[in-house]
Amino acid sequence: MLSVQPVATRPGFDISAVACRSDHTRWSPPEVRGYHRVVLVRRGRFRRQAAGAAVDLDTSLAYVGTPGEEESFAHPAGGDHCTSISVTPALWRSLAGDGNGPSAGTVYVDPPLDLAHRRMLAAARSGDVDYAVTEELLTLLATAVTRTVPGPTPTAGSSARDRALVTAAREAIADEHPASVSLMSLADLLGASPYRLSRAFPRELGVSVTHYRHRVRIGRALDRLEAGETSLSVLAADLGYADQAHLTRTLRRHLGHTPTALRRLLAPGERDEDRLTVG
């Protein structure tokens, strides 16, 4: 029995949690898919056959699938739970380059890649698909591309170009340009690959683009709270958070206070001793 639960979906990618409870040694009928994908095992193990070769996959070995590739599966040791990432051709090319397909079908999942996988899933639980999930996904995909695609890939950047790119991105975020609603659309607006934009921010500012966007939105939240905003649900919606709980989690994580506490801290005439005790 196969079950598929969506984790995060956007036009450029789809992340799903896949559970297979089959227990069979025979190969499944051949399957062909029309997109690139990276599949990482979270629990259990299974076998995959593609291009005439079979490989055993578990938490230490992921696989990269290519469009038009014929593959079959077997589960001689019981079921498994996996994270399946499907990627559009455009997003794959932005990381791997034109015409570069993987020369290796498997990727060794070392501790850094394992952590990248877990961080992506944790970001999905936060609800911030357009920035946090996208950025963690790009880190994971770039690792998979580096380890499977031969030759140079378009992931390097120069200081001057990075500086100009970050400046333009900051301006779009500050102006609340409609394209700044997601990392993917922001990169498209600026004519850069999403991965290059994601890497440019740490190189230039020392923080991720997700962190920077949080900083701008937190500043706006503080402005509104200082002005006496009474509806946290309206504030969350206006600032682009998934809901009031998402806004509260973000402010508590970055500032150590809830929105209600921050509103009290920013109230006119608040005494210094009160500012030190409000949590």
Side-chain angles (χ1 to χ4, degrees):
M1 180 185 299
L2 185 71
S3 66
V4 180
Q5 296 292 328
V7 173
T9 301
R10 285 298 182 266
F13 63 84
D14 179 271
I15 305 171
S16 299
V18 180
C20 183
R21 297 176 179 84
S22 300
D23 189 356
H24 58 85
T25 58
R26 293 174 298 175
W27 293 109
S28 64
E31 305 173 27
V32 177
R33 293 176 175 84
Y35 41 81
H36 287 91
R37 63 207 174 282
V38 178
V39 178
L40 301 104
V41 182
R42 290 185 289 123
R43 293 195 303 276
R45 59 189 178 92
F46 64 95
R47 304 194 79 202
R48 176 181 183 256
Q49 181 173 259
V55 62
D56 292 299
L57 300 157
D58 56 21
T59 56
S60 67
L61 198 65
Y63 79 83
V64 178
T66 58
E69 185 179 35
E70 189 175 277
E71 57 186 353
S72 298
F73 300 93
H75 295 80
D80 62 85
H81 291 75
C82 298
T83 300
S84 178
I85 304 166
S86 303
V87 182
T88 62
L91 180 55
W92 181 266
R93 285 196 302 271
S94 75
L95 294 161
D98 293 328
N100 280 343
S103 61
T106 58
V107 180
Y108 173 57
V109 182
D110 59 9
L113 183 54
D114 184 18
L115 179 60
H117 179 200
R118 294 170 190 267
R119 284 176 60 92
M120 182 189 71
L121 296 177
R125 292 192 292 271
S126 77
D128 186 4
V129 177
D130 290 313
Y131 273 85
V133 175
T134 301
E135 197 155 24
E136 297 296 346
L137 169 65
L138 290 170
T139 298
L140 187 156
L141 290 176
T143 301
V145 165
T146 299
R147 296 180 184 178
T148 59
V149 172
T153 58
T155 57
S158 70
S159 179
R161 288 186 301 180
D162 283 352
R163 191 174 304 116
L165 179 60
V166 168
T167 297
R170 289 173 56 208
E171 182 178 346
I173 292 171
D175 292 344
E176 299 184 78
H177 190 287
S180 69
V181 70
S182 77
L183 192 154
M184 294 291 198
S185 56
L186 179 58
D188 187 57
L189 171 72
L190 302 177
S193 76
Y195 181 76
R196 182 183 159 204
L197 176 60
S198 175
R199 295 299 89 197
F201 265 79
R203 284 196 287 256
E204 289 300 309
L205 296 184
V207 297
S208 69
V209 63
T210 299
H211 186 99
Y212 180 81
R213 181 170 177 258
H214 277 314
R215 187 266 172 267
V216 172
R217 292 201 295 177
I218 288 169
R220 291 179 182 140
L222 292 174
D223 286 343
R224 293 273 293 271
L225 291 170
E226 192 171 20
E229 176 65 62
T230 58
S231 175
L232 296 182
S233 60
V234 170
L235 179 61
D238 288 349
L239 295 179
Y241 289 98
D243 50 31
Q244 181 178 327
H246 187 196
L247 169 65
T248 299
R249 288 195 305 271
T250 301
L251 292 180
R252 186 189 291 275
R253 182 170 66 251
H254 286 267
L255 298 175
H257 299 291
T258 66
T260 301
L262 287 166
R263 188 164 49 201
R264 291 199 299 268
L265 285 170
L266 296 169
E270 182 72 25
R271 296 178 303 169
D272 288 342
E273 58 266 31
D274 293 333
R275 292 174 184 271
L276 295 175
T277 57
V278 176

